[in-house]
Amino acid sequence: MKKNMTFHKKKVWVVFLMCAGMLLGLMGRLVWLMGVRSDHYYEKAEELHERERDIKAARGRILDANGKVLADNKTVCTVSVIHSQIKEPEKVIRLLSAELGISEENIRKKVEKISSIERIRTNVDKETGDIIRRAGLEGVKVDEDYKRYYPYDTLASRVLGFTGGDNQGIIGLEVEYEDVLSGTPGKILTTTDARGVEIDEIGESRMEPEKGDDLRLSLDISIQEFVQQAALKVMEEKQAERVSVLLMNPQNGEIYACVNVPEFNLNDPFVLNTGEDVSSMNTQKAQERLNQMWRNPCLNDTYEPGSTFKIITMAAGLQEGVVSLEDHFYCPGYKLVDDRRIHCANRRGHGSQNFVEGAQNSCNPVFIEVGLRLGVQKYYQYFRQFGLMEKTGIDLPGEAGTIMHKMENMGNVELATVAFGQSFQITPIQLAATVSSLINGGNRVTPHFGVAVQSEDGNSVKELLYSSKTGIVSEDVSKKVRDILETVVSQGSGRNASVPGYSIGGKTATSQTLPRSANRYISSFLGFAPADEPRMLALCIIHDPKGIYYGGTIAAPVVRSIFENVLPYLGIKKTAVKTREDNS
């Protein structure tokens, strides 16, 4: 009996100690939660009673070279509903359906959905938002927001780009300079009770958004407008598929204009510029058509440059010393390379001519000979030296690279065709940047639009700087290239680009797209002025013109028209220029 009592007492003590231990553990945990971790759980509790709504920041504006606004902000509204606060659901449904043009069925689904907040529609015009706000229905929130607005609609559409519903850039400068333009969003914090109903006594607290910085460009809207009109005119006259024109300063890479017609409407970027109805297409086809419309052919697409590329062969040959201005050539209308007869554009031949005359005549056999004198290895060396195997670094997304034969796969025939601009592809911006370096004294510049970041009041935040590389060719070779190309315009195939009072240099080109049997052509002209000290380079490319398709006949006059109007606009004065008769 005594033994059993002793055992019972031990058992009681064990239970007591266990309970005491558990109690001490709970007390310790309570001290930990209320003391050490109190701040953390206080914050968690606050979060349960705070509802957060974002306030979009106004994007920075995009300005042209003279401060004209190319991309701005328009005040719009975001309309939302909060289920727990709605007292008159039928009134809310009728009002929102009537003002927003959404079916009552769809509005009802969102009004009756039990959630913290349901967004009904964004980008609602301010007038409509004010009507909904003035109705004063509980549970309906109208927050002011911003929508991107482009004052010039189609102008420079593929350069500027546009934003999506979230106000973030999608293409063009809008996405390239997203960090500069986007700003910092703000927030509206609303305190609610346990049922999610706002506590009126506390009200809302706001963290104001910070506006994005403005971006100033080298692009000049007056020049862009004129160039676009010139491009549209030749596209209509020649019933061309499309026309691209680049205008840039070859000394520093600043781009004055970049036109790709037909352009599209930046304020309605999901409407095809062909007039086709996207809604009638399946999703994949519609997106493909939109993506194609949004592409910038000047840098996203490659093409076979044709004879404008002879400028590169010319510079490489002169720099290497394999050709001089006085070297003589004979053109019977073709040149035999290995077992291939490669024709000149003039099938009857140019006969005997020196190198300068060969350039004036755009004679294929002359440039084939220069290419062969250089040889594959040297030609590749200059290809790299001139920067043709790298991208230009232009401040727009999606730049394509050069499509070129591998050196080990390049024989004499391939070298011959490359020497006069066929059997490979480059982008228009790559051609413009490369030729700029060959005529500006040998400095490889980075083509660009962005010039400076500035605040809304016009104060500079930072100047935008771009890399450059010297010694692409010598000053002497650069001068020879300029002089030869000036004679191409004053005496040769580029005569249609001449402008009285200005010395113009340039090169014509006419190339055929693949397959050759389709008889589709690309006509182009690359020109610069003044020829002795270039301040402007223009490249005009006409895709699939109907009827006469020679670059010297249809593309050179476009550049002449641009120079006639833009050179005086930029303050470049006329000088006494020798005429062909003076030279004879």
Side-chain angles (χ1 to χ4, degrees):
M1 182 72 176
K2 189 174 181 179
K3 188 177 180 180
N4 287 340
M5 287 180 66
T6 302
F7 175 77
H8 179 71
K9 286 178 180 180
K10 287 181 179 179
K11 189 175 181 181
V12 170
W13 272 104
V14 169
V15 172
F16 174 75
L17 290 172
M18 288 176 64
C19 290
M22 291 174 63
L23 185 60
L24 287 171
L26 288 171
M27 290 176 66
R29 180 65 177 166
L30 189 60
V31 169
W32 167 259
L33 294 174
M34 295 182 67
V36 179
R37 298 286 285 165
S38 60
D39 290 344
H40 171 74
Y41 286 101
Y42 175 78
E43 290 173 5
K44 287 288 187 184
E46 284 295 300
E47 288 176 7
L48 292 174
H49 294 85
E50 287 182 344
R51 181 178 289 111
E52 184 178 283
R53 307 199 306 274
D54 287 332
I55 310 173
K56 284 182 185 175
R59 283 178 76 83
R61 301 170 301 170
I62 300 179
L63 313 172
D64 89 332
N66 300 307
K68 292 182 180 178
V69 180
L70 307 180
D72 207 346
N73 300 298
K74 185 178 180 182
T75 302
V76 292
C77 298
T78 295
V79 179
S80 308
V81 293
I82 299 173
H83 174 80
S84 59
Q85 296 177 12
I86 295 175
K87 294 183 178 178
E88 300 176 282
E90 293 303 320
K91 279 190 177 181
V92 170
I93 291 167
R94 285 196 298 272
L95 174 70
L96 298 185
S97 176
E99 295 299 332
L100 299 179
I102 302 174
S103 69
E104 290 192 4
E105 181 185 358
N106 287 333
I107 297 287
R108 187 181 302 278
K109 288 178 183 177
K110 295 196 174 185
V111 166
E112 294 179 349
K113 185 176 180 180
I114 301 174
S115 63
S116 59
I117 189 167
E118 280 294 310
R119 184 175 292 175
I120 304 296
R121 173 164 285 178
T122 60
N123 293 330
V124 176
D125 64 83
K126 191 175 184 301
E127 293 76 14
T128 302
D130 288 342
I131 291 171
I132 295 171
R133 185 187 290 110
R134 285 195 293 268
L137 293 175
E138 293 187 66
V140 178
K141 296 295 178 185
V142 180
D143 296 321
E144 288 198 354
D145 205 342
Y146 297 99
K147 179 183 180 181
R148 209 55 160 161
Y149 170 66
Y150 302 92
Y152 295 92
D153 289 326
T154 63
L155 216 64
S157 60
R158 293 176 177 88
V159 174
L160 298 176
F162 58 92
T163 61
D166 57 1
N167 224 21
Q168 289 186 325
I170 291 181
I171 67 166
L173 294 170
E174 289 279 25
V175 69
E176 184 73 14
Y177 287 95
E178 177 69 25
D179 292 345
V180 169
L181 299 167
S182 62
T184 305
K187 295 185 185 300
I188 299 175
L189 297 175
T190 305
T191 305
T192 66
D193 61 19
R195 296 169 298 164
V197 178
E198 289 184 15
I199 301 173
D200 293 333
E201 293 78 8
I202 298 177
E204 293 181 339
S205 62
R206 294 172 64 92
M207 183 177 75
E208 295 298 332
E210 294 181 14
K211 183 182 182 297
D213 288 323
D214 291 345
L215 174 67
R216 184 161 54 85
L217 308 179
S218 58
L219 187 143
D220 186 309
I221 203 65
S222 297
I223 297 176
Q224 180 79 16
E225 283 181 320
F226 180 82
V227 173
Q228 183 166 316
Q229 290 169 4
L232 280 169
K233 182 182 178 184
V234 74
M235 186 180 78
E236 292 170 0
E237 288 176 350
K238 300 305 298 180
Q239 299 176 39
E241 178 185 314
R242 55 189 169 89
V243 177
S244 294
V245 182
L246 265 170
L247 214 62
M248 66 181 279
N249 185 334
Q251 303 295 337
N252 59 18
E254 290 184 355
I255 300 174
Y256 300 128
C258 178
V259 167
N260 297 280
V261 291
E263 302 271 1
F264 65 90
N265 192 334
L266 288 169
N267 293 307
D268 219 346
F270 292 91
V271 173
L272 290 173
N273 57 8
T274 58
E276 298 169 280
D277 184 5
V278 174
S279 63
S280 65
M281 305 175 186
N282 62 52
T283 304
Q284 182 179 350
K285 183 181 179 182
Q287 192 59 57
E288 286 175 356
R289 295 304 304 276
L290 287 170
N291 288 341
Q292 187 62 38
M293 181 180 73
W294 296 336
R295 292 177 68 83
N296 187 332
C298 285
L299 62 128
N300 298 144
D301 296 338
T302 57
Y303 80 117
E304 197 172 71
S307 293
T308 50
F309 197 78
K310 289 172 181 173
I311 301 172
I312 281 76
T313 303
M314 176 192 302
L318 291 169
Q319 183 69 32
E320 188 60 24
V322 299
V323 68
S324 70
L325 306 188
E326 296 76 25
D327 279 7
H328 274 77
F329 302 83
Y330 184 79
C331 170
Y334 63 90
K335 186 171 180 64
L336 285 173
V337 180
D338 292 345
D339 60 344
R340 291 278 298 277
R341 176 177 287 201
I342 302 176
H343 289 279
C344 185
N346 183 347
R347 294 294 183 102
R348 293 173 298 178
H350 294 108
S352 179
Q353 57 193 333
N354 63 28
F355 182 59
V356 176
E357 291 168 334
Q360 293 170 3
N361 295 328
S362 195
C363 180
N364 287 350
V366 168
F367 286 89
I368 291 172
E369 177 62 27
V370 174
L372 293 175
R373 289 180 186 181
L374 281 164
V376 171
Q377 191 169 351
K378 278 291 181 184
Y379 204 93
Y380 257 87
Q381 176 187 315
Y382 281 103
F383 223 80
R384 295 190 186 95
Q385 183 173 316
F386 292 170
L388 285 158
M389 298 307 289
E390 301 171 3
K391 295 179 182 179
T392 68
I394 187 173
D395 54 345
L396 282 176
E399 181 183 3
T402 300
I403 301 172
M404 183 61 173
H405 306 279
K406 290 183 178 180
M407 188 167 71
E408 58 269 23
N409 297 333
M410 194 171 184
N412 286 336
V413 172
E414 290 76 20
L415 176 58
T417 55
V418 168
F420 63 88
Q422 290 188 5
S423 80
F424 73 102
Q425 295 195 350
I426 60 173
T427 61
I429 193 64
Q430 177 64 269
L431 179 64
T434 304
V435 173
S436 291
S437 69
L438 302 179
I439 64 173
N440 69 9
N443 303 312
R444 175 81 187 193
V445 295
T446 300
H448 60 274
F449 293 94
V451 173
V453 176
Q454 58 190 49
S455 58
E456 188 174 15
D457 57 11
N459 291 324
S460 178
V461 174
K462 68 174 179 179
E463 297 293 317
L464 298 175
L465 303 176
Y466 300 87
S467 63
S468 61
K469 185 179 178 183
T470 60
I472 302 301
V473 291
S474 69
E475 287 273 5
D476 178 61
V477 165
S478 182
K479 183 180 186 306
K480 286 178 179 176
V481 170
R482 293 195 301 270
D483 290 345
I484 293 171
L485 295 176
E486 189 277 330
T487 71
V488 171
V489 174
S490 63
Q491 303 175 44
S493 59
R495 290 189 193 90
N496 285 329
S498 63
V499 179
Y502 290 102
S503 60
I504 309 293
K507 186 72 193 72
T508 60
T510 308
S511 58
Q512 215 173 350
T513 61
L514 295 174
R516 308 292 189 200
S517 58
N519 292 321
R520 290 166 57 91
Y521 295 88
I522 299 175
S523 307
S524 62
F525 181 81
L526 185 151
F528 55 91
D532 55 344
E533 191 178 349
R535 291 176 57 188
M536 179 178 294
L537 179 145
L539 175 60
C540 173
I541 305 172
I542 304 170
H543 291 263
D544 193 24
K546 305 302 183 291
I548 296 173
Y549 52 79
Y550 299 113
T553 305
I554 64 172
V558 177
V559 172
R560 178 186 64 212
S561 173
I562 292 169
F563 282 163
E564 283 175 338
N565 288 272
V566 176
L567 292 175
Y569 171 80
L570 290 177
I572 300 173
K573 296 180 179 179
K574 292 184 178 182
T575 57
V577 181
K578 287 184 179 181
T579 64
R580 191 182 181 191
E581 287 73 20
D582 294 330
N583 289 322
S584 59

